[in-house]
Amino acid sequence: RRIRGERTRRGLRVRDVADRVPCSENEVRRAELGYHTPSTRTLYRLAEAMGSTVHALLPEERDGEK
């Protein structure tokens, strides 16, 4: 969900991000909804495509989780 939030906060469409990565729009949507865990490489590309950081796209740690 953090991926989608970052994308919409930056005013980007799914197509914009997919074109920049490059990957399919479906892959971006699946990652946003949590149906697909992107590879580390794709995660870095997603962050770069959105002008963001990988840290901003990762879920926050909960107490007791590492």
Side-chain angles (χ1 to χ4, degrees):
R1 302 249 187 254
R2 303 244 352 229
I3 296 171
R4 185 179 202 171
E6 191 69 15
R7 178 182 59 77
T8 57
R9 188 174 72 77
R10 294 177 179 275
L12 297 168
R13 299 175 302 163
V14 171
R15 176 181 282 178
D16 298 331
V17 175
D19 287 348
R20 292 176 188 181
V21 167
C23 67
S24 70
E25 291 179 42
N26 190 47
E27 187 174 353
V28 174
R29 285 188 193 99
R30 289 173 46 89
E32 288 183 346
L33 295 171
Y35 297 147
H36 167 73
T37 302
S39 67
T40 302
R41 180 183 214 175
T42 301
L43 193 58
Y44 274 94
R45 288 179 175 173
L46 285 167
E48 184 177 334
M50 291 187 269
S52 187
T53 65
V54 171
H55 179 74
L57 303 183
L58 295 174
E60 294 181 16
E61 285 186 16
R62 297 182 191 136
D63 289 339
E65 288 187 357
K66 291 187 178 190

